[in-house]
Amino acid sequence: MGRIKFKVALLWIFFVFVFFILKNGDPAWLQFNEIETGPKWRSKMQVEQQHRRLHTQKACQLLGNSSKYASLDEMNSSHLLWLMRRRMMTCINNKVGSTWWVNLLLQDYFDGEPLLTAYRSPHYIAETVLGLSPTISSFEIPELLESVRSVIIVRHPFVRLVSAYRDKIESCVDKDACYAYKYGFTRQSVPRSFSAFVEFLIRTIPESGPFRGQLINDIDSHWLPYYINCAPCDIKYDFIVKMESWQDDVRFVLENFNFTSFRENERINASNATHVALEYFKDVEPHLISSLYSAYFADFEMFGYSPNGFYNIYK
């Protein structure tokens, strides 16, 4: 008898719950597609951005600032895009949501008109219309930065490298023409495994700086470290967007720049990207991972990433 009463009670609770949902809508924890907004969310995002800025500044102080890690006057400023109508500057890091962001800037610059990209990539167009004039020297950039708010976009360095390898290198194996051949690789020399690509990166990128001059231009932008490409020790970025929190970060930034209309940002499955990266790192010997971490150490430190999880998985 007691069991029957217990089951009846459970059914009654279930029906009350269903009635509540139908009458009042899904409770917050059931709304899978709802985008968080409102004062509490904005306050949380402001605190998070402040935390990221302070973390980067502290890392720069500990690492020796730009005296050791590539400075503003050494960087290639072509990756700085200036949307002056919004008083906005973005440093573009390839393989970090860069194509989406470039298209966003161009759509705003051209007032939503369709882009004629049949013969030129969006990145080329962006550098042409949003890049600095060649007559502007690096010494003039600090003054320009005073008139804008700046954005940098990053992701876990190891996950980014796997993405670059899959997109720009892996697809070249046993093919006569592809992206990698434009940047010094041949059909014979292109890395035929991710482990070989890691060895190439270790040979190419110094472990601890300084990193100066022509060396910067010799490294492909898809695996050029953030600290070299964007000089975060010289440029105090107002917004640090991470792909791991893409939806919230993008919405917060665009609200701050008064983008009233923009296409919904694509959903980035950060956990899946990390899972894929871990699969590739299973073929990399631990000592190579250590050397790779040393090469990208500044990126890890400046943006609060850890190599934990990538060690001790070698098959």
Side-chain angles (χ1 to χ4, degrees):
M1 189 65 180
R3 282 188 172 182
I4 294 175
K5 288 184 177 180
F6 179 73
K7 290 180 179 180
V8 170
L10 285 178
L11 283 172
W12 175 249
I13 293 171
F14 173 76
F15 285 124
V16 170
F17 179 70
V18 171
F19 174 79
F20 176 81
I21 290 177
L22 292 175
K23 186 174 184 293
N24 299 290
D26 292 351
W29 60 271
L30 288 177
Q31 294 175 356
F32 297 106
N33 298 318
E34 183 180 10
I35 297 172
E36 188 179 2
T37 57
K40 288 185 179 180
W41 172 78
R42 291 184 182 89
S43 177
K44 180 183 72 174
M45 295 303 297
Q46 288 170 356
V47 170
E48 177 61 24
Q49 286 296 322
Q50 175 69 0
H51 171 75
R52 293 178 188 179
R53 288 192 296 269
L54 291 175
H55 183 96
T56 300
Q57 291 168 18
K58 183 178 179 180
C60 285
Q61 293 170 359
L62 293 174
L63 292 168
N65 289 301
S66 58
S67 62
K68 187 174 184 180
Y69 290 89
S71 60
L72 182 58
D73 60 343
E74 293 282 351
M75 71 181 295
N76 182 345
S77 62
S78 66
H79 293 289
L80 302 182
L81 301 183
W82 306 75
L83 187 62
M84 297 308 294
R85 67 188 297 181
R86 302 280 179 186
R87 296 295 176 184
M88 177 187 198
M89 187 280 283
T90 305
C91 184
I92 297 295
N93 288 302
N94 286 339
K95 302 311 299 177
V96 191
S98 57
T99 299
W100 186 92
W101 203 277
V102 162
N103 278 312
L104 169 83
L105 299 177
L106 290 176
Q107 288 292 325
D108 193 72
Y109 178 83
F110 289 112
D111 290 319
E113 293 295 322
L115 303 179
L116 300 176
T117 58
Y119 301 102
R120 295 293 185 183
S121 73
H123 290 268
Y124 176 87
I125 297 172
E127 288 185 16
T128 302
V129 301
L130 300 176
L132 291 177
S133 166
T135 60
I136 296 178
S137 71
S138 60
F139 299 104
E140 298 175 85
I141 294 179
E143 185 176 348
L144 286 173
L145 287 169
E146 292 295 323
S147 65
V148 299
R149 287 182 295 168
S150 52
V151 181
I152 184 174
I153 311 166
V154 297
R155 73 191 300 186
H156 192 290
F158 283 174
V159 177
R160 178 195 181 212
L161 292 177
V162 169
S163 179
Y165 173 74
R166 296 180 71 196
D167 186 33
K168 303 301 181 184
I169 303 296
E170 189 176 48
S171 59
C172 295
V173 174
D174 295 328
K175 291 186 178 179
D176 293 324
C178 74
Y179 178 89
Y181 301 151
K182 299 178 183 178
Y183 294 90
F185 290 113
T186 66
R187 184 166 181 168
Q188 290 71 37
S189 66
V190 66
R192 305 183 71 85
S193 68
F194 181 68
S195 182
F197 179 59
V198 168
E199 293 186 69
F200 159 76
L201 291 173
I202 293 169
R203 294 194 303 270
T204 304
I205 299 174
E207 289 193 359
S208 58
F211 206 92
R212 294 287 186 260
Q214 186 58 39
L215 279 174
I216 295 176
N217 296 321
D218 288 342
I219 303 236
D220 186 89
S221 62
H222 293 85
W223 45 85
L224 188 68
Y226 305 138
Y227 77 89
I228 298 171
N229 193 49
C230 295
C233 290
D234 275 3
I235 301 175
K236 303 299 188 291
Y237 288 93
D238 298 285
F239 300 94
I240 300 173
V241 172
K242 293 188 174 185
M243 287 193 74
E244 292 79 5
S245 51
W246 179 259
Q247 274 72 39
D248 277 332
D249 289 358
V250 168
R251 183 165 292 275
F252 182 70
V253 169
L254 297 189
E255 277 193 7
N256 272 270
F257 285 97
N258 297 316
F259 280 78
T260 57
S261 178
F262 59 94
R263 66 184 178 88
E264 186 59 49
N265 44 304
E266 63 199 28
R267 291 202 167 273
I268 305 295
N269 190 336
S271 61
N272 185 61
T274 301
H275 174 74
V276 171
L278 287 169
E279 288 299 312
Y280 277 79
F281 269 83
K282 284 182 179 179
D283 296 324
V284 183
E285 296 183 43
H287 76 277
L288 292 177
I289 297 177
S290 294
S291 295
L292 185 67
Y293 172 58
S294 296
Y296 288 86
F297 178 73
D299 283 356
F300 278 90
E301 289 296 298
M302 290 178 184
F303 300 105
Y305 289 107
S306 169
N308 293 343
F310 287 85
Y311 290 102
N312 303 319
I313 59 173
Y314 178 65
K315 289 190 293 187

